[in-house]
Amino acid sequence: MTRSERSVEIKVPPEKVWDILALDRMQEWVEGVKVEYTSEVRTPGDKYRVGATAHLSVKSEGEHDVEITESVENERMTYRSKPPYYKYTATYMLKPVEGGTELTWMSDYEMPWGILGKFLLLFFQRAGEKEYEKSLGKLKNILET
C-alpha cells in the first residue's frame, strides 16, 4: 500500500471546512471530478454519515464507487473505494489551530495486477500528489474569500 499526505492551513473554523468536505462538494475544489450519491440523502447530515455511498467520475482515474467508513463531525471523515476497483482510502483530518483549521488529506492506494499494478501505482501517486496540492490550494482560496 502506498500513502500520500498533504496538509494546508485555512483561516476559517473547522465547521466551515467540514461543510465543503461533503462528497458532492468535491466538484467545487477537485478538478475533473463529478459525484452523485447512490445512497439516500434526506438531510445535509446524510452526506457525511457512515455507510453513505456515491459514484465518482474522476477525469484522471476513471469511475468508481465509494463508501464513507468513518465520520466524526468537524474532525475526521474517511471513505474507501468499493470492489471491483483498486483499493483506495481517503481521509480528511481537521485540526483547530490558532486562526483557523489545519486540513490534512491522506490517501492510501493499493493496486492489483502484480508488477503492472506497482508501476501504475507510481504513476497514480505522482499525479495524485500534484493534484492534492492544486486541489487544497483551490479549497483554501474558496474558503478564505
Side-chain angles (χ1 to χ4, degrees):
M1 185 156 306
T2 300
R3 173 169 286 177
S4 294
E5 185 174 319
R6 292 289 184 269
S7 296
V8 64
E9 283 194 24
I10 306 169
K11 296 176 182 165
V12 298
E15 299 79 26
K16 295 259 186 201
V17 179
W18 181 257
D19 286 343
I20 202 165
L21 295 180
L23 296 174
D24 62 336
R25 298 219 39 212
M26 189 184 302
Q27 301 167 131
E28 297 173 40
W29 55 277
V30 178
E31 190 172 312
V33 172
K34 295 194 185 307
V35 178
E36 184 176 325
Y37 283 96
T38 53
S39 58
E40 190 171 355
V41 176
R42 291 184 185 176
T43 69
D46 288 346
K47 294 179 179 187
Y48 303 91
R49 71 175 167 73
V50 171
T53 57
H55 182 78
L56 276 65
S57 176
V58 185
K59 184 178 179 181
S60 61
E61 298 175 18
E63 297 188 14
H64 56 281
D65 295 320
V66 299
E67 177 179 6
I68 295 177
T69 58
E70 178 183 29
S71 183
V72 179
E73 188 173 0
N74 302 323
E75 293 180 22
R76 181 182 185 97
M77 182 172 69
T78 300
Y79 63 90
R80 64 177 168 79
S81 62
K82 295 174 70 176
Y85 310 102
Y86 60 89
K87 292 181 182 179
Y88 171 76
T89 302
T91 300
Y92 302 120
M93 296 176 288
L94 290 78
K95 177 181 165 188
V97 295
E98 188 173 327
T101 305
E102 178 184 57
L103 170 64
T104 300
W105 182 3
M106 184 172 47
S107 295
D108 293 307
Y109 296 90
E110 187 176 340
M111 299 290 266
W113 314 306
I115 193 74
L116 174 61
K118 289 181 182 190
F119 175 76
L120 289 172
L121 187 58
L122 287 173
F123 172 76
F124 277 124
Q125 184 179 13
R126 287 186 189 136
E129 288 176 358
K130 289 179 184 177
E131 190 59 41
Y132 287 178
E133 293 289 332
K134 185 176 177 181
S135 296
L136 288 173
K138 187 172 182 179
L139 183 140
K140 178 180 172 70
N141 186 51
I142 289 168
L143 289 172
E144 291 182 350
T145 52

